Amino acid sequence: MVRFKSRYILFTVHYPVLTDIDKICPSDDSASNYPARFQDKKAPSLSDRNILPGGKEGNLGKEMRTLLHKRPAPDGVTLNAVNTAFRDALNRNFGDLGAGLVRASVSLKYFSPATSTGIIRVSRDHYRIVWAALTLLNEIAGVKVVITVDHVSGTMRKCEKVAISKNIKVVRELSGDL
Amino acid sequence: MNARTILSQPSESSLKQGQLDVGAFVSSRKYEIQQLSASMRKSKAIQKQQTFQVVPRSLRRRAASHHVRFLPPRFREQAQQEYKDSGIQLKPKKRRRITRLHLRRDTALKLKYFARQRKAYHCNRKRSTYPVGINELATKVIMERKFKRRQKDKTWLPTHLWHAKRAHMIKKWGYVIPSHPNEKCFRRTHRASQNGSGIVFDTSYYATMILQGNHDSVLNIVNIISRGKACGKTYLLGDRAFEGPVYNVYRSTAGEGSVESAFGEAVIYFEPTTDLEGSLANKSRRALIRVHPAAFDDTWKMLMSLVKTTREQELNSDPDIELQDCRFSIGSIDIFGPKSLTVIGHNLRLNVEKDVTVLGAWSMATLEGDPKLIPLGAVFPLKFFDPRTISTPSRDRKLFDSEHRGALNHTMVCKGLNDFARNLGSRTPSPLLTTEGRSIRVEHAKIAHGRLKQRRAANSKAVDATKGNQIRLKLESLVFNDDVSIPAVMIRRASGGISLLLPWQWVAIFFKKLVLPAYTMCGGLQQYHQILSERMLPYFPDDYPGTSAGQVEEREKMTQREKEWKSRPRSKKVIYDALDLRNGEKKGEVGNPFACDWSYLLHADARGEHDPSKELSDLNEPWMITNLAGILSERNKLRKELNLLTAVFTVQIIMIGRGAPRPGARIYAIPVRDRSKWMKLKWNRKVVPESSEYPVCPKSAFLIGFITSGGFNLKEGKGSGIASLSWAKVEQNGGFNYRYCVVRDVGESIGRLALYKPL
């Protein structure tokens, strides 16, 4: 009996156009040691800036970039929205054949709006279609997005582990030590 | 599938009305980490099939798949549920219909049982302890009377029944000893003895003898058998136990061709006295002598004749001197591992006779105590309470957590040990050495279940009173009237482990308490051997070919190997006759391929020809050099006195590069002109045996010795072994300063470079 093999794709959603974040402020917890930039009472205000490299905000400090690159999802980008947009993208880019090939096996296992990270499961034979669809997906619920794939593996565990290690890195950068 | 969903936070938690809260951002990341980890754990848990797959491998039993009784208590409830769910037919407890016939039969059985008990009670009332032979060999003990017939020609250890269920037993030296546990445990043994919880052995097969008499005569005898080494001041005071060779008095006659023949290693412990001044000559003194059972017969005969001479000699005769054979009244448990002291301290209750400082010192010493901190040969005469009074031998894993290690450092532990030793009065003689001291009957000491409950209640009250201050001591804080004190002697051995000597009837009970918490491993002879090999120490009798016990062992192994070889089909075994060493000599293995062929080594002539009919007789058997340095420095003088042609000395072998030598491997000295070739191997890893640059094995004339134990050493990370080299051959072939040699396994054509180091 041949085993059914699948691939789990860990992806992050990026929002290249900032429309809804006006301020970045430190939390009320004064004991934590966040980088100096955020300790400022007068937090920097941002509006409608392009934070991709080359844009005006391309030379933000490392911590700012971390924050903005991995920002929480804006309103409207939820699990269901991602799901719908993704299937739509599949259909649009690969047609009925492509969508049909993967439809049975593809499922969005996890998506967190707080961290914009998600895990999709596909059968091993067609994961490239899904990967391509993710890459070509540029709008979710009216919000412009860029999706990068962080990790592809045969087990859910490994994707979870990679997600955890990325989170640890972020936390470490932004809060001194964990 | 509900369990598989991973919870996530909505983005509102960190992004509120256009404000990105950094703190909340960070915590949302942390939350995600938590949820992902939880998901991983849950998915693992869901996949688990049955409880008995969670049970550690050593506790798994086949019958547990349908019988809850065979699982450890903590799993039983869970398992019960699983069996019900999966519809397994549980075996109900058999219930007989009670009929009149049954009743009559039961009554008859009970009456017989009581009659037997009464008879035994009357018999035993006079003799309250296990047999000791005074000036004669002791009668052996039958362990379980139910199995009396099986013990006709062999002696069971006190823990036999426990071991028989968990280990493969062999019959050796008249005892039935566990050879190895049922599971494969090569790496497990290494871990247990090196970093882990420890490994426990029942070593009651070690023969114990007590020599009792006048101080002078006892001293004299010990002096003779140990060649003076066991009579130093610290030994006489009883502070330390001597561990070293016991010599055969009758073999080493002066004059030409004499031989320093040893029987084996012994532990000699003088019963402590506080004063060595004054006339001790006529004070009574005891010395405990422990020998391996393989060497027991010879040592006993020798000691008996010495005792006899002492009794009958004209000058300073000591008519009361006696040699007690305590083989079956003193048993022992050996523990290896960095946490041995902790295991002892935690699972056994020490009787400190209400001395709180000692108790404190003991806890300090055992909390972190590595037995390596105890000086070699240090002896602690201890008294324990019945370990069955401890309610739970703790499964407290926190004790074994590595985090705990930071808390106490070495100095504190050493201080604890020092205090302990000082205050315990290591100068007081242990009641273990007297018959009266050992005679605490197990049945008399047993405390009824209800009474145990009472004690526990009283204990917890006391703990509450101290507000749980010293939680570890809670079980030992109260001493009750029915607490019985069992004498024990704890010795730190040269091999790095601890020996705990106990009265024979208590060994099983103590053993179970030390092993029950399922993280202390229990081992057999093979594990003991492995631990000593890893530490590069010789194991008696395998590594002592210079003793008669070693020769006997070698012969047994040879017959065993030959038998196995003969029974295999021709295509599935190494054909030794066809072995081509490619060094110009005729084909075939050098010497007898099934053994360390000492007769070949010592009695072959220069051409390597050997007359196989010339067997090893008493006169030309190899004998072991115990003092290599001494002999080296005075070799010219001693050459006349000692027959160095058959002398043999023990070395440690460490491989350079690859290869793990097996017992029986041949060791060659490197001929001078080949030295550079072999040395190149040391630096150049690319030269592989298949290549043409690899040097050829030296000729059989360069044979200097054999490996007696060997294998891959997990501690060193490479192959290693213990070997014995022939003095004469080493001298002939390059001397004692050039320590490189070539080791070639039996049946292999490739030799490998190694380094030897004399012990």
Side-chain angles (χ1 to χ4, degrees):
Chain A
M1 260 277 282
V2 179
R3 283 197 224 183
F4 180 73
K5 304 264 182 173
S6 51
R7 285 284 179 266
Y8 292 85
I9 301 178
L10 176 73
F11 64 91
T12 317
V13 185
H14 303 278
Y15 313 93
V17 175
L18 284 178
T19 42
D20 59 335
I21 296 189
D22 301 323
K23 268 212 302 223
I24 297 176
C25 60
S27 71
D28 295 323
D29 184 6
S30 53
S32 46
N33 44 347
Y34 297 127
R37 193 181 287 265
F38 302 134
Q39 304 275 359
D40 218 348
K41 288 283 164 66
K42 277 191 258 170
S45 82
L46 313 154
S47 60
D48 206 10
R49 284 167 184 169
N50 194 330
I51 61 165
L52 294 176
K56 266 209 257 180
E57 248 45 70
N59 287 327
L60 286 175
K62 191 170 76 158
E63 301 96 14
M64 193 73 100
R65 257 217 301 276
T66 310
L67 259 189
L68 296 178
H69 270 140
K70 299 180 196 286
R71 49 153 297 179
D75 284 342
V77 180
T78 59
L79 188 136
N80 289 326
V82 172
N83 224 339
T84 338
F86 167 67
R87 286 177 197 279
D88 212 36
L90 264 180
N91 215 326
R92 238 178 316 118
N93 291 303
F94 293 96
D96 285 335
L97 176 63
L101 269 179
V102 299
R103 196 171 41 147
S105 60
V106 80
S107 58
L108 181 61
K109 282 288 180 188
Y110 171 67
F111 181 75
S112 164
T115 57
S116 304
T117 343
I119 301 180
I120 283 188
R121 180 187 191 232
V122 216
S123 75
R124 188 179 56 172
D125 296 333
H126 310 297
Y127 79 98
R128 290 167 64 91
I129 297 180
V130 166
W131 193 339
L134 281 175
T135 317
L136 296 169
L137 182 58
N138 55 10
E139 187 171 330
I140 301 180
V143 180
K144 292 258 179 276
V145 295
V146 169
I147 299 188
T148 51
V149 165
D150 294 323
H151 192 68
V152 175
S153 86
T155 60
M156 177 80 140
R157 270 180 81 92
K158 283 299 180 189
C159 282
E160 285 167 335
K161 277 195 172 170
V162 168
I164 288 176
S165 66
K166 282 184 182 291
N167 279 338
I168 289 177
K169 237 172 150 188
V170 168
V171 171
R172 209 182 275 150
E173 270 177 23
L174 287 180
S175 66
D177 32 25
L178 249 170
Chain B
M1 273 331 240
N2 263 336
R4 283 304 227 99
T5 50
I6 309 171
L7 298 170
S8 60
Q9 277 176 335
S11 56
E12 279 81 49
S13 52
S14 42
L15 181 59
K16 291 186 190 133
Q17 298 148 359
Q19 277 199 41
L20 179 55
D21 185 339
V22 175
F25 178 83
V26 168
S27 63
S28 73
R29 292 276 156 178
K30 285 191 191 168
Y31 180 82
E32 189 177 58
I33 292 175
Q34 279 177 0
Q35 291 310 312
L36 288 174
S37 315
S39 154
M40 286 202 282
R41 276 199 303 272
K42 265 190 260 174
S43 63
K44 186 168 181 217
I46 282 180
Q47 280 163 15
K48 271 213 182 76
Q49 294 296 333
Q50 300 230 333
T51 318
F52 72 83
Q53 285 173 312
V54 191
V55 176
R57 243 189 287 168
S58 57
L59 296 176
R60 287 187 200 161
R61 301 284 177 263
R62 175 172 295 180
S65 63
H66 53 82
H67 239 130
V68 191
R69 177 161 78 93
F70 289 92
L71 288 170
R74 62 184 187 269
F75 294 112
R76 283 183 197 160
E77 226 183 277
Q78 223 179 323
Q80 194 97 42
Q81 191 59 42
E82 277 174 14
Y83 296 163
K84 243 200 271 171
D85 289 344
S86 57
I88 290 180
Q89 282 278 55
L90 291 177
K91 294 227 170 127
K93 195 163 179 183
K94 282 193 186 155
R95 292 196 161 277
R96 307 194 318 244
R97 255 177 353 146
I98 309 290
T99 61
R100 185 178 155 80
L101 213 57
H102 282 133
L103 279 174
R104 283 172 63 87
R105 187 179 69 180
D106 284 349
T107 323
L109 280 174
K110 278 191 196 151
L111 284 174
K112 277 202 200 130
Y113 173 74
F114 287 130
R116 236 187 333 176
Q117 293 287 76
R118 190 182 52 189
K119 194 160 156 223
Y121 175 72
H122 285 299
C123 276
N124 290 336
R125 238 181 1 167
K126 296 175 194 158
R127 185 177 52 116
S128 62
T129 181
Y130 279 78
V132 170
I134 300 184
N135 291 332
E136 60 183 8
L137 289 174
T139 46
K140 73 164 191 223
V141 164
I142 307 273
M143 278 318 299
E144 285 284 320
R145 298 219 82 88
K146 183 175 166 192
F147 302 115
K148 185 171 161 189
R149 249 193 299 162
R150 302 184 201 181
Q151 297 176 60
K152 245 199 291 193
D153 48 351
K154 32 191 148 61
T155 316
W156 279 8
L157 297 177
T159 50
H160 179 94
L161 283 182
W162 191 95
H163 274 112
K165 296 183 192 173
R166 296 164 176 82
H168 182 72
M169 312 292 278
I170 44 168
K171 182 177 158 191
K172 243 183 157 145
W173 312 303
Y175 292 89
V176 183
I177 307 177
S179 156
H180 56 90
N182 285 334
E183 303 103 27
K184 293 208 275 199
C185 51
F186 182 67
R187 283 184 302 174
R188 209 170 138 223
T189 324
H190 166 75
R191 268 182 254 130
S193 65
Q194 279 292 111
N195 350 308
S197 35
I199 176 166
V200 184
F201 299 94
D202 180 358
T203 47
S204 302
Y205 51 87
Y206 260 74
T208 320
M209 298 172 273
I210 294 183
L211 186 60
Q212 181 172 312
N214 281 345
H215 171 91
D216 270 0
S217 32
V218 166
L219 186 60
N220 194 26
I221 293 184
V222 172
N223 210 343
I224 294 177
I225 61 172
S226 69
R227 290 273 174 83
K229 293 182 198 161
C231 297
K233 184 151 177 241
T234 38
Y235 300 129
L236 284 183
L237 280 174
D239 273 345
R240 301 268 184 275
F242 166 78
E243 215 175 323
V246 160
Y247 294 93
N248 182 356
V249 176
Y250 299 109
R251 186 103 177 270
S252 21
T253 49
E256 235 183 83
S258 77
V259 139
E260 222 186 56
S261 147
F263 282 138
E265 301 263 316
V267 174
I268 302 182
Y269 169 56
F270 280 97
E271 195 183 22
T273 51
T274 39
D275 61 312
L276 275 189
E277 294 88 56
S279 79
L280 285 171
N282 290 324
K283 290 228 185 90
S284 171
R285 204 76 198 284
R286 283 198 202 95
L288 183 95
I289 302 172
R290 293 201 91 208
V291 196
H292 193 276
F296 172 72
D297 278 334
D298 292 328
T299 322
W300 173 265
K301 286 201 196 96
M302 183 177 75
L303 280 172
M304 271 312 294
S305 59
L306 283 174
V307 161
K308 198 155 165 254
T309 345
T310 322
R311 228 184 300 163
E312 297 163 0
Q313 69 193 8
E314 284 123 29
L315 242 67
N316 299 335
S317 88
D318 183 358
D320 291 324
I321 190 169
E322 60 183 28
L323 181 66
Q324 299 172 358
D325 174 12
C326 303
R327 276 184 300 165
F328 309 112
S329 51
I330 298 182
S332 65
I333 301 175
D334 272 24
I335 312 180
F336 283 88
K339 301 198 172 114
S340 344
L341 279 186
T342 324
V343 171
I344 294 181
H346 207 72
N347 294 327
L348 304 177
R349 276 176 69 210
L350 192 69
N351 175 7
V352 292
E353 276 154 11
K354 315 228 171 116
D355 188 344
V356 192
T357 44
V358 182
L359 193 58
W362 172 249
S363 331
M364 178 76 56
T366 55
L367 195 58
E368 283 294 318
D370 193 329
K372 291 205 179 126
L373 291 174
I374 308 179
L376 266 182
V379 185
F380 300 95
L382 303 171
K383 296 200 189 82
F384 288 106
F385 289 125
D386 187 345
R388 294 175 294 189
T389 54
I390 298 184
S391 44
T392 36
S394 145
R395 228 175 276 124
D396 188 357
R397 292 197 172 259
K398 274 193 259 165
L399 268 191
F400 288 73
D401 224 337
S402 47
E403 287 167 27
H404 229 76
R405 281 193 170 274
L408 296 181
N409 54 25
H410 268 195
T411 41
M412 289 167 79
V413 180
C414 286
K415 183 167 175 301
L417 279 172
N418 274 330
D419 286 339
F420 178 64
R422 210 180 307 135
N423 293 325
L424 192 59
S426 57
R427 301 279 174 86
T428 53
S430 174
L432 185 67
L433 300 180
T434 59
T435 321
E436 302 77 43
R438 293 193 291 265
S439 64
I440 301 159
R441 304 212 68 203
V442 169
E443 302 86 50
H444 292 172
K446 190 157 186 183
I447 300 178
H449 187 65
R451 173 74 185 133
L452 267 181
K453 273 207 194 143
Q454 275 182 349
R455 292 165 54 116
R456 252 175 260 162
N459 256 323
S460 33
K461 257 207 214 150
V463 167
D464 290 336
T466 64
K467 303 223 171 74
N469 213 355
Q470 291 167 309
I471 298 180
R472 275 199 72 249
L473 300 181
K474 81 168 165 206
L475 291 169
E476 293 136 64
S477 50
L478 288 190
V479 178
F480 296 92
N481 285 343
D482 34 12
D483 267 333
V484 151
S485 179
I486 300 147
V489 172
M490 187 167 92
I491 307 178
R492 197 289 211 198
R493 302 291 297 276
S495 53
I498 295 181
S499 284
L500 198 61
L501 273 68
L502 294 161
W504 183 274
Q505 65 267 35
W506 288 98
V507 173
I509 297 170
F510 276 73
F511 187 85
K512 285 202 196 126
K513 283 294 170 179
L514 292 174
V515 172
L516 189 57
Y519 45 69
T520 324
M521 187 181 160
C522 108
L525 287 178
Q526 284 185 12
Q527 282 61 48
Y528 205 97
H529 193 168
Q530 185 190 335
I531 291 177
L532 287 185
S533 307
E534 278 179 7
R535 296 168 191 211
M536 310 277 267
L537 295 171
Y539 167 73
F540 190 84
D542 291 41
D543 292 324
Y544 289 74
T547 58
S548 55
Q551 288 293 319
V552 167
E553 181 75 22
E554 187 57 48
R555 242 171 276 142
E556 274 177 20
K557 283 209 273 200
M558 181 178 86
T559 17
Q560 178 69 27
R561 284 189 204 133
E562 192 161 2
K563 194 166 124 207
E564 274 175 28
W565 187 84
K566 287 209 171 121
S567 70
R568 300 186 101 192
R570 206 188 150 80
S571 62
K572 293 198 178 161
K573 64 187 179 188
V574 179
I575 306 297
Y576 295 111
D577 289 335
L579 186 69
D580 185 9
L581 294 172
R582 282 178 272 132
N583 56 3
E585 292 189 321
K586 67 173 173 25
K587 283 193 185 180
E589 180 58 67
V590 169
N592 186 341
F594 304 110
C596 299
D597 203 345
W598 297 107
S599 57
Y600 179 90
L601 179 67
L602 299 173
H603 305 299
D605 54 23
R607 259 181 308 144
E609 297 290 313
H610 167 60
D611 185 6
S613 62
K614 215 168 157 209
E615 281 304 315
L616 287 177
S617 70
D618 212 32
L619 290 172
N620 54 15
E621 262 191 2
W623 59 277
M624 189 172 77
I625 296 181
T626 46
N627 178 14
L628 185 68
I631 296 186
L632 274 178
S633 57
E634 311 206 342
R635 70 176 99 172
N636 289 317
K637 186 169 68 165
L638 289 170
R639 202 185 292 273
K640 296 209 189 79
E641 291 176 13
L642 299 173
N643 177 10
L644 287 173
L645 282 177
T646 46
V648 141
F649 60 101
T650 328
V651 299
Q652 299 169 336
I653 298 262
I654 259 239
M655 305 300 290
I656 297 174
R658 289 187 128 204
R662 284 212 306 259
R666 274 66 174 131
I667 304 180
Y668 300 87
I670 309 182
V672 187
R673 61 167 185 275
D674 286 337
R675 281 190 188 173
S676 51
K677 266 201 223 161
W678 282 101
M679 281 300 107
K680 252 200 273 179
L681 284 184
K682 200 171 163 198
W683 311 117
N684 187 359
R685 281 294 169 87
K686 291 222 179 105
V687 180
V688 133
E690 285 76 38
S691 75
S692 54
E693 287 176 358
Y694 196 89
V696 133
C697 188
K699 299 201 176 172
S700 58
F702 290 95
L703 189 69
I704 52 173
F706 303 97
I707 298 254
T708 48
S709 315
F712 189 79
N713 188 330
L714 283 172
K715 190 156 170 267
E716 301 291 324
K718 38 174 106 144
S720 81
I722 304 282
S724 286
L725 306 181
S726 149
W727 165 281
K729 292 281 171 168
V730 174
E731 220 185 0
Q732 261 176 26
N733 290 320
F736 295 88
N737 290 324
Y738 188 75
R739 300 254 171 97
Y740 288 97
C741 57
V742 172
V743 176
R744 180 183 67 82
D745 263 337
V746 172
E748 294 279 323
S749 51
I750 307 163
R752 297 200 186 265
L753 188 63
L755 198 59
Y756 76 78
K757 186 173 153 214
L759 278 175

